[in-house]
Amino acid sequence: MMPLPPFEFAAPATLDEAAKLLDQHKSHAKILAGGTDLIPSMKNKLFEPQVLIGIGNIPEMKKIEYDPQKGLTLGSLVTITDIGHHPHITTHYPVLSDAARKIATPLLQNKGTIGGNILLDTRCYYYNQSHFWRKAINNCLKKEGDVCRVAPSGHRCYAISSSDTVPVLYAMNASVTLVHAHGQRTVPLRAFYENDGMKFNKLEPGEILSQVHIPVLPKGFRGAYMKLRRRQTIDYPMLGVMIGLQMDDKNICRDAQIVLGAVFSMPYEVKAAQDMLTGQTITEDLIEKVADIAHQEAKPLDLTNFRPAYRKRMVRVFVKRILNVLTQKNTYVEEILA
Ligand SMILES: Cc1cc2nc3c(=O)[nH]c(=O)nc-3n(C[C@H](O)[C@H](O)[C@H](O)COP(=O)(O)OP(=O)(O)OC[C@H]3O[C@@H](n4cnc5c(N)ncnc54)[C@H](O)[C@@H]3O)c2cc1C
Ligand code: SF4
């Protein structure tokens, strides 16, 4: 059995109170939402906070609001189950619901939250192990070591962004509201992440993610998300591909978003491929070219239990598969299996 390290527990009743507590303890405290990522990580001694601030009793952080003019606003405690099944989301943002239903298992979806998914720690084969296992290899840069086991001559951590909802939220121009004891700020998700496995987002000590906002999707939007994993349940993504297209009445692509997850430490937008699609009728030939570009730009490293060459090859396969489906149907396709 792996025991939790000792900690004090606080359960504030309001967001204000939570922000004050976090301000008081700063980096000695951690926010606990569903705990599906944090608790196993604490058992592995990846985090040993002196204080855990449980935000589960704050009702204002559990709201789901949809406005046809403004879009969707989710409190950060909205569960992954609700993202997968709530009618506001399945109706207006079905691709987000689909990505949520591909996360972990139903039990973990019941506990896990959208805020926790957006702030999910980056993952690596050499890091997500027990304390005992990591000690045997003398640790690594991300935790208590001085060398990266994946790229020993490198000077940074390459652990991968492993959230299933983030590539989708990214492609839909979502933003997050971050609250602290002295105010708040709103940051577009596209400006929130960094390609560094250790400092992979811009959340400052003392900040709590309170809300996620997704604007109304443009007319003619079609999207789909595909996930590569060893089993069709439980497993984290070894690759995620989100494609969003905005098609006009003449079937010309007016805007394209191609976002890769689980390749780098942050979601990766394949801009050259997006540019190639924009303004064009999407033909089979164009799909081949776009898939080639995405394949070239993806550079997965050897830090999961799939070979990097296979993950890279699957980028081409997924891009082709999604574009074929999206250009043959007029609406979102309920489920595309990897
Ligand atoms: C077996 C297993 C399989 C999994 N598979 C997947 C998968 O396939 N895809 C996937 O995306 N995820 C997966 N997960 C990870 C996890 O279940 C989800 O990412 C979940 O959404 C995390 O949410 P949470 O509320 O449990 O986060 P927590 O564990 O509570 O928190 C995660 C991190 O975010 C911080 N945090 C949380 N909320 C806030 C907030 N509001 N403000 C500031 N900081 C905050 C915490 O301090 C912590 O650092 C898996 C987990 C397990 C155990
Ligand atoms: S990429 Fe390197 S530094 Fe980062 S977790 Fe893996 S082994 Fe550690």
Side-chain angles (χ1 to χ4, degrees), residues 185-206:
R185 61 185 178 126
T186 297
V187 185
L189 222 50
R190 280 165 193 274
F192 184 60
Y193 292 105
E194 296 182 272
N195 196 21
D196 177 337
M198 286 163 74
K199 177 74 180 102
F200 52 91
N201 68 38
K202 294 187 180 148
L203 187 81
E204 297 292 341

Side-chain angles (χ1 to χ4, degrees), residues 122-128 137 139-143 145-152 155-160 196-198 265 301-303:
T122 52
R123 296 183 63 83
C124 168
Y125 177 77
Y126 297 92
Y127 171 73
N128 297 100
I137 59 156
N139 294 301
C140 78
L141 214 53
K142 187 161 158 78
K143 183 68 186 172
D146 49 17
V147 70
C148 169
R149 303 285 155 201
V150 174
H155 299 288
R156 71 168 184 89
C157 167
Y158 300 88
I160 52 173
D196 177 337
M198 286 163 74
S265 300
L301 294 178
D302 196 2
L303 42 63

Side-chain angles (χ1 to χ4, degrees), residues 4-78:
L4 281 167
F7 58 86
E8 279 177 34
F9 185 70
T14 64
L15 181 55
D16 217 29
E17 213 184 302
K20 282 187 185 133
L21 270 170
L22 192 57
D23 189 50
Q24 203 180 317
H25 298 285
K26 291 248 165 57
S27 52
H28 298 296
K30 280 211 76 80
I31 295 290
L32 178 76
T36 59
D37 182 50
L38 184 58
I39 297 294
S41 297
M42 284 174 65
K43 288 189 170 184
N44 283 340
K45 294 197 169 56
L46 292 169
F47 299 105
E48 297 178 70
Q50 290 167 11
V51 182
L52 267 192
I53 303 174
I55 52 175
N57 294 336
I58 306 177
E60 64 193 273
M61 293 177 79
K62 297 181 181 172
K63 287 189 189 153
I64 300 176
E65 289 166 317
Y66 179 72
D67 177 310
Q69 260 76 49
K70 294 185 187 148
L72 182 70
T73 304
L74 302 167
S76 75
L77 286 179
V78 170

Side-chain angles (χ1 to χ4, degrees), residues 271-291:
K271 289 195 176 132
Q274 295 175 172
D275 292 347
M276 197 174 247
L277 287 169
T278 307
Q280 304 298 320
T281 306
I282 302 178
T283 59
E284 269 181 40
D285 188 42
L286 184 57
I287 291 177
E288 289 290 339
K289 287 185 182 142
V290 164

Side-chain angles (χ1 to χ4, degrees), residues 62-306:
K62 297 181 181 172
K63 287 189 189 153
I64 300 176
E65 289 166 317
Y66 179 72
D67 177 310
Q69 260 76 49
K70 294 185 187 148
L72 182 70
T73 304
L74 302 167
S76 75
L77 286 179
V78 170
T79 64
I80 299 299
T81 298
D82 276 340
I83 303 287
H85 300 278
H86 193 285
H88 282 338
I89 310 172
T90 54
T91 308
H92 301 290
Y93 304 88
V95 59
L96 179 61
S97 290
D98 180 41
R101 289 193 301 270
K102 288 177 173 153
I103 291 176
T105 63
L107 282 180
L108 287 160
Q109 291 171 16
N110 287 343
K111 285 298 287 177
T113 64
I114 188 69
N117 201 239
I118 288 170
L119 298 172
L120 184 65
D121 195 7
T122 52
R123 296 183 63 83
C124 168
Y125 177 77
Y126 297 92
Y127 171 73
N128 297 100
Q129 300 286 355
S130 68
H131 184 233
F132 178 75
W133 192 103
R134 293 196 317 275
K135 230 169 72 180
I137 59 156
N138 212 11
N139 294 301
C140 78
L141 214 53
K142 187 161 158 78
K143 183 68 186 172
E144 289 167 1
D146 49 17
V147 70
C148 169
R149 303 285 155 201
V150 174
S153 56
H155 299 288
R156 71 168 184 89
C157 167
Y158 300 88
I160 52 173
S161 163
S162 300
S163 157
D164 280 304
T165 65
V166 166
V168 179
L169 292 169
Y170 211 80
M172 296 193 305
N173 290 315
S175 55
V176 286
T177 302
L178 308 171
V179 170
H180 54 91
H182 312 288
Q184 65 175 57
R185 61 185 178 126
T186 297
V187 185
L189 222 50
R190 280 165 193 274
F192 184 60
Y193 292 105
E194 296 182 272
N195 196 21
D196 177 337
M198 286 163 74
K199 177 74 180 102
F200 52 91
N201 68 38
K202 294 187 180 148
L203 187 81
E204 297 292 341
E207 284 185 323
I208 299 178
L209 197 166
S210 65
Q211 283 186 338
V212 187
H213 179 71
I214 312 171
V216 177
L217 295 178
K219 186 170 170 275
F221 180 91
R222 309 168 189 177
Y225 173 75
M226 283 186 83
K227 166 175 180 173
L228 179 68
R229 51 185 161 171
R230 204 165 273 284
R231 299 162 289 186
Q232 290 303 327
T233 184
I234 303 179
D235 292 336
Y236 285 89
M238 300 287 123
L239 167 69
V241 178
M242 163 66 195
I243 302 186
L245 301 177
Q246 188 191 345
M247 305 299 288
D248 72 10
D249 297 340
K250 297 193 176 100
N251 239 359
I252 309 269
C253 174
R254 290 294 158 209
D255 185 48
Q257 304 291 327
I258 303 183
V259 184
L260 308 182
V263 174
F264 300 104
S265 300
M266 64 182 285
Y268 181 78
E269 221 183 321
V270 193
K271 289 195 176 132
Q274 295 175 172
D275 292 347
M276 197 174 247
L277 287 169
T278 307
Q280 304 298 320
T281 306
I282 302 178
T283 59
E284 269 181 40
D285 188 42
L286 184 57
I287 291 177
E288 289 290 339
K289 287 185 182 142
V290 164
D292 277 351
I293 292 179
H295 172 260
Q296 278 160 25
E297 292 198 12
K299 296 183 174 62
L301 294 178
D302 196 2
L303 42 63
T304 73
N305 60 13
F306 273 136

